[in-house]
Amino acid sequence: KMLRRVLCTVLFMGALPSLAEVSQGHVSVVLLGATGDLAKKYLWQGLFQLYLDQVSSGHSFTFHGAALMALEPGQRLMFDVLKKLSCPQDESPNRCAVLKDQFLKLSQYHQLKTAENYTVLNREIEMLLHQEGLKEAGRIFYFSVPPFAYTEIARHINSSCRPPPGAWLRVVLEKPFGHDLESAQQLAAELTNFFREEEMYRVDHYLGKQAVAHILPFRDQNRQFLDPIWNQHHVERVEIVLKETVDAKGRTTFYEQYGVIRDVLQNHLTEALMYLTMELPANLSSAEEVLQRKLQAFQSLRGLEKNSAVVGQYQAYASQVREELQKAQDYITTTPTFAGVLIHSDSLRWEGVPFLLTSGKALDERVGYVRVLFKNRAYCTQSETLRDAGYSQCKAKQIIFYIGHGTLNTPAVLVSRNLFKPIMPESSWKEAAVQPDLHIFGQALSDYYVYNPVKERDAYSFLISSIYHGRKDFFITTENLLASWKFWTPLLDSISHQPPRLYPGGVENQHLLDFEMVGGELAFALAEPVELLHPDRPTPSDYKTIQSKFRQSPLVSMWSEELISQLASDIERAASRAVAHSGQFHLALSGGSSPVVLFQRLARHHYAFPWRHTHIWLVDERCIPLTDPESNFFSLHSHLLQSIRVPYFNVHPMPVHLNQRLCVEEDRGTEMYAKEITALVANASFDLVLLGMGTDGHTASLFPHSENGLEGAQTVVLTESPVKPHQRMSLSLPLINKARKVFVLVLGKGKHNITSLISRVGHEPRKWPISGVSPSSGRLVWYVDYEALLG
């Protein structure tokens, strides 16, 4: 009998205590995609390491390689891989040879293509265990296959290949886990039909990297040193970086679908970010507590905007795509191969601290690290030559979790000597010998306490061992996965058509990809060289005639980013003039999505704006509580008010929520707002009203065929929107037309049709309310980007 013979041989080698203890239970491991690249490079070696580590544990094993390939060629390919397996250096050659031989005997290949194939596999496992008189402890199914195959495989396992009652099932899934929030939700929902949450282990192999896996234990063991300084008051910034020298050649099919943000930042670097920012649980060994704290850290992240990222693409990428995907020569790809992203957490601990996540292909070096840089308020009077350089308080203070490659070429934990001497577990980390010629971030290695692993191990070996032991804290739960995609998807959508900066690759990149933080946004530090600029992007000179008038009023038209910059400057100029003239500036702002980028621009770039003398009013509001994220006031507060110093009594939200009711006519909210305007705004004439334009021609919350607000004496009205929430409050058209200035902002291709239509129609506010905007004694200016104007 095969299993019994193998066990007896191992017993003879002195590896096991007794045959009785061997029979505690049997574990069947099924590797799907057993002949694929990942299996060849890492998974079979990881499974062999599991066997080496656990052969004395009391469980017996069998290993089942599976793929779509027919039996004979599949078996041949699989065993070619198994024969090349290696033992750790500290393993004796004799024992290694015996265990490798036994591992091969315990491994077999199966073709898994049809439902019947899965039934046969299940029957074979049951028959083998029956013959050996062994009880099944559990089964591991490792999905090393493309995600589109997950659902069908899951259905087959669930219907005909589950272990018997009392035995556990562990299903291991490899990324990508979806392409965005919607696809991740769909895949998660499909898998939930077949597996329970505790049965699924989603692998992010970065969580198995020794330096990354040690972040939480390091924080836990060094609480006494870190508690006072692990916060916004002491941390200057955090960098999480993965640089690669290789390009995407041979992988462009995958890369065109995913790009660098989905491939690296949304998973690997975000997981490291969570380990840094999450609050430590009381019990680090509780997987449930760790995963819950990770989820809370996700929920504290501030949403990403388009200007939170810079993206690049190495020059040869487009031609590689055209060649490998057989695309036409004029095929354009905007897939980023480099990205830098600025992330903020709104938790009390981390508020204001910039977290920079960076990754790219075809860069100058291969390296990965997590770097926590501390603020340094010291000034050292004594000259540097007389100081103990290693402990100097004037040197940079940092903690680095060095993932691998680069200068050190090994995993490491480095702590500046002028911080503290860390507590490290002697069983797994050792203090490294000083190498005086090496420098890390401009400092000699002797400036740090440096620790290396006692024994380097592969990430997959660690993760496979964790799966065997049922440790879920090194894996991605469904809840955490969806939280991550919810965070990243808006950014991915916003930059999907943004032309990336081109870079030549390797050391030739020089400073081309350097970027800087400016007012909470990221921007490349250097202008893009003309020879690298995209030839496909039209420039204003390509448009032969752009009229300077729109509906007989001045028109300003540019690319959206330049347009927003111009609009913000024009609003500041109007504010400064009004304050100089009358001592105050009354600004009425519309809601909706278009003004958000303007609000951010004003908050981050216009520090001379006379906010102390500015009154901010709402043009319109949805009839929902002001604390609701859908509220116009909530958006205004999130993107502008919380970042500027405007006196709180100068902010005038619309009274849509009175007496615990929303926009009830008897509560007279419209009259209250009208009286407030009359009391504070001279002649009820706002200095500036900012409007938008809907695809149906509405402006403010004045919709086509609206019964209120298009004419008459009423200044503030209740209206009905065709979309939810239906009830709105709005300034009326006659009140808007009393303003000294009215600016209309129109952005995006989606507004092209209505922009073309409105350019031709006359004064017909009942059909198109925007056509009724015509200040009686003020000035109307249209700010329309090229996409809205020209399509």
Side-chain angles (χ1 to χ4, degrees):
K1 293 180 178 181
M2 181 193 71
L3 268 176
R4 194 142 302 248
R5 280 201 305 274
V6 167
L7 294 174
C8 286
T9 307
V10 176
L11 271 172
F12 182 73
M13 293 294 296
L16 294 178
S18 76
L19 195 57
E21 287 181 41
V22 169
S23 304
Q24 285 180 20
H26 183 78
V27 178
S28 304
V29 182
V30 183
L31 174 55
L32 297 134
T35 56
D37 280 349
L38 187 65
K40 289 176 190 173
K41 285 182 183 173
Y42 301 110
L43 300 183
W44 278 117
Q45 186 63 50
L47 291 173
F48 180 45
Q49 186 63 52
L50 174 71
Y51 182 63
L52 292 175
D53 294 341
Q54 300 302 326
V55 71
S56 310
S57 70
H59 284 136
S60 56
F61 291 87
T62 46
F63 299 90
H64 304 266
L68 298 174
M69 198 177 290
L71 189 61
E72 195 178 312
Q75 194 166 273
R76 190 167 58 248
L77 259 179
M78 188 182 99
F79 278 97
D80 284 346
V81 176
L82 298 190
K83 287 168 190 171
K84 294 172 185 169
L85 295 174
S86 60
C87 288
Q89 288 181 344
D90 57 356
E91 192 68 74
S92 74
N94 284 350
R95 187 171 186 270
C96 176
V98 169
L99 290 177
K100 184 175 172 181
D101 182 55
Q102 302 310 331
F103 184 78
L104 265 66
K105 286 176 181 170
L106 294 172
S107 303
Q108 51 188 294
Y109 177 82
H110 306 260
Q111 183 183 33
L112 287 185
K113 202 171 184 179
T114 66
E116 177 60 23
N117 293 151
Y118 285 84
T119 305
V120 169
L121 172 62
N122 186 61
R123 200 182 301 133
E124 287 183 12
I125 291 173
E126 287 177 347
M127 196 181 302
L128 180 71
L129 294 174
H130 178 71
Q131 288 172 353
E132 303 291 349
L134 292 170
K135 182 184 175 186
E136 189 159 18
R139 289 184 196 178
I140 296 172
F141 282 89
Y142 201 119
F143 286 36
S144 180
V145 295
F148 66 76
Y150 283 4
T151 305
E152 186 185 352
I153 293 170
R155 184 181 292 110
H156 292 321
I157 291 171
N158 186 55
S159 62
S160 58
C161 220
R162 274 185 169 273
W168 46 256
L169 172 67
R170 291 174 192 151
V171 175
V172 190
L173 306 165
E174 278 282 346
K175 78 175 185 76
F177 313 118
H179 182 266
D180 54 16
L181 178 59
E182 188 181 355
S183 58
Q185 284 172 326
Q186 185 181 343
L187 182 58
E190 287 170 0
L191 290 170
T192 305
N193 290 329
F194 307 112
F195 305 129
R196 297 191 301 276
E197 180 64 33
E198 63 268 22
E199 293 176 331
M200 289 186 281
Y201 289 71
R202 288 185 185 86
V203 169
D204 183 329
H205 78 273
Y206 248 60
L207 296 185
K209 299 275 186 183
Q210 285 172 289
V212 177
H214 194 63
I215 294 174
L216 285 185
F218 178 90
R219 287 181 58 193
D220 186 48
Q221 289 152 14
N222 291 281
R223 284 185 197 233
Q224 58 180 311
F225 308 118
L226 292 175
D227 271 355
I229 63 171
W230 200 255
N231 55 54
Q232 56 168 319
H233 304 296
H234 295 271
V235 175
E236 182 179 311
R237 71 167 186 249
V238 177
E239 300 165 7
I240 306 174
V241 175
L242 173 60
K243 293 166 68 176
E244 296 184 89
T245 52
V246 296
D247 59 20
K249 194 169 186 179
R251 292 187 71 221
T252 55
T253 304
F254 170 83
Y255 233 72
E256 271 301 272
Q257 281 185 285
Y258 292 93
V260 70
I261 294 178
R262 290 180 175 91
D263 184 34
V264 177
L265 278 79
Q266 179 271 329
N267 36 70
H268 303 333
L269 303 195
T270 302
E271 289 301 318
L273 174 69
M274 292 300 99
Y275 279 173
L276 291 170
T277 58
M278 64 184 269
E279 292 301 309
L280 282 177
N283 179 11
L284 204 59
S285 61
S286 166
E288 192 177 335
E289 280 189 52
V290 170
L291 293 167
Q292 199 54 42
R293 291 298 174 94
K294 267 177 74 175
L295 190 60
Q296 289 166 5
F298 265 122
Q299 291 161 348
S300 297
L301 296 181
R302 192 182 303 169
L304 295 173
E305 309 288 348
K306 185 178 181 180
N307 292 332
S308 303
V310 290
V311 293
Q313 182 190 97
Y314 66 84
Q315 263 182 297
Y317 178 76
S319 60
Q320 288 172 355
V321 169
R322 288 193 286 268
E323 182 185 337
E324 290 179 21
L325 273 59
Q326 297 181 326
K327 299 286 186 181
Q329 281 307 302
D330 59 352
Y331 176 77
I332 301 296
T333 171
T334 57
T335 301
T337 60
F338 167 85
V341 178
L342 174 60
I343 294 176
H344 283 97
S345 168
D346 285 329
S347 70
L348 289 174
R349 183 184 293 276
W350 295 114
E351 192 173 9
V353 177
F355 291 85
L356 291 165
L357 274 58
T358 308
S359 186
K361 290 193 171 292
L363 300 183
D364 60 315
E365 63 174 336
R366 184 185 182 191
V367 69
Y369 59 83
V370 174
R371 181 190 185 204
V372 182
L373 184 65
F374 292 86
K375 296 174 182 176
N376 199 332
R377 300 181 180 90
Y379 172 76
C380 298
T381 309
Q382 196 171 25
S383 70
E384 197 169 325
T385 52
L386 299 172
R387 294 200 303 264
D388 179 351
Y391 294 88
S392 167
Q393 285 303 307
C394 283
K395 290 209 170 182
K397 300 178 178 184
Q398 47 201 336
I399 296 173
I400 303 156
F401 299 95
Y402 202 87
I403 298 164
H405 305 292
T407 305
L408 296 182
N409 202 31
T410 176
V413 175
L414 300 91
V415 178
S416 293
R417 288 181 180 268
N418 55 7
L419 274 173
F420 58 86
K421 183 174 173 62
I423 296 167
M424 297 290 281
E426 290 179 14
S427 60
S428 51
W429 291 84
K430 62 184 181 192
E431 196 160 357
V434 174
Q435 300 176 60
D437 54 326
L438 288 186
H439 285 71
I440 299 291
F441 299 114
Q443 287 183 265
L445 214 55
S446 57
D447 285 353
Y448 303 93
Y449 296 109
V450 183
Y451 296 85
N452 298 134
V454 171
K455 183 179 177 182
E456 277 195 54
R457 54 159 174 69
D458 171 65
Y460 276 100
S461 298
F462 172 75
L463 292 172
I464 287 170
S465 174
S466 299
I467 295 159
Y468 167 76
H469 286 105
R471 283 293 305 263
K472 289 221 62 168
D473 43 336
F474 293 103
F475 300 89
I476 315 300
T477 63
T478 302
E479 208 173 6
N480 276 274
L481 172 71
L482 297 182
S484 178
W485 276 121
K486 187 177 180 183
F487 174 68
W488 284 101
T489 298
L491 175 71
L492 289 162
D493 289 344
S494 71
I495 65 168
S496 58
H497 299 298
Q498 180 180 325
R501 164 167 291 201
L502 292 180
Y503 59 96
V507 292
E508 290 178 43
N509 295 333
Q510 297 186 42
H511 301 296
L512 199 58
L513 296 179
D514 294 352
F515 54 84
E516 54 193 15
M517 294 174 281
V518 183
E521 299 176 355
L522 282 193
F524 283 116
L526 297 177
E528 189 168 8
V530 174
E531 64 269 18
L532 289 177
L533 284 172
H534 282 257
D536 56 290
R537 175 170 174 170
T539 59
S541 60
D542 295 333
Y543 300 133
K544 301 299 179 219
T545 55
I546 294 181
Q547 71 266 39
S548 58
K549 294 277 184 183
F550 186 84
R551 293 182 56 81
Q552 289 77 54
S553 293
L555 168 71
V556 180
S557 192
M558 304 172 180
W559 290 110
S560 58
E561 287 176 27
E562 300 162 79
L563 185 73
I564 292 297
S565 176
Q566 182 66 52
L567 174 57
S569 297
D570 291 349
I571 292 174
E572 183 179 338
R573 197 172 298 112
S576 299
R577 285 175 182 168
V579 170
H581 179 260
S582 64
Q584 54 191 2
F585 176 56
H586 287 276
L587 172 65
L589 296 168
S590 279
S593 56
S594 292
V596 166
V597 282
L598 171 67
F599 298 161
Q600 292 167 343
R601 181 85 198 174
L602 286 168
R604 296 169 184 172
H605 297 275
H606 291 263
Y607 298 107
F609 200 103
W611 292 116
R612 285 179 59 198
H613 306 286
T614 297
H615 283 258
I616 295 179
W617 302 82
L618 269 291
V619 168
D620 61 331
E621 184 56 276
R622 300 161 185 221
C623 292
I624 52 179
L626 300 185
T627 52
D628 190 310
E630 293 293 310
S631 144
N632 290 342
F633 182 78
F634 187 95
S635 174
L636 177 64
H637 177 269
S638 302
H639 299 291
L640 179 63
L641 296 181
Q642 70 176 1
S643 305
I644 60 175
R645 290 185 178 176
V646 61
Y648 74 90
F649 41 78
N650 282 13
V651 179
H652 309 278
M654 282 185 155
V656 292
H657 198 188
L658 296 169
N659 305 317
Q660 297 185 329
R661 304 192 294 185
L662 293 166
C663 293
V664 174
E665 209 160 321
E666 301 91 83
D667 292 334
R668 299 186 171 182
T670 54
E671 290 177 37
M672 284 176 60
Y673 208 55
K675 283 179 182 174
E676 195 176 355
I677 292 168
T678 304
L680 295 172
V681 183
N683 303 318
S685 298
F686 291 106
D687 293 300
L688 197 154
V689 174
L690 177 73
L691 298 175
M693 177 173 70
T695 52
D696 59 355
H698 83 263
T699 192
S701 279
L702 304 171
F703 296 90
H705 310 295
S706 180
E707 293 180 17
N708 302 320
L710 298 178
E711 53 195 14
Q714 249 189 309
T715 54
V716 184
V717 295
L718 292 177
T719 66
E720 287 283 324
S721 162
V723 296
K724 288 183 178 180
H726 297 300
Q727 278 192 298
R728 308 286 175 96
M729 187 180 286
S730 180
L731 303 186
S732 70
L733 209 48
L735 180 61
I736 289 168
N737 283 334
K738 287 181 75 173
R740 292 183 173 86
K741 284 189 177 69
V742 178
F743 291 171
V744 181
L745 174 63
V746 187
L747 299 176
K749 277 186 182 175
K751 301 286 178 69
H752 174 60
N753 290 342
I754 188 66
T755 303
S756 300
L757 176 65
I758 293 300
S759 70
R760 300 191 299 268
V761 303
H763 181 86
E764 297 185 68
R766 288 200 64 77
K767 280 188 180 179
W768 302 286
I770 190 70
S771 72
V773 176
S774 179
S776 49
S777 57
R779 188 165 185 252
L780 171 63
V781 183
W782 292 80
Y783 292 80
V784 187
D785 76 348
Y786 287 144
E787 290 191 328
L789 189 68
L790 302 156

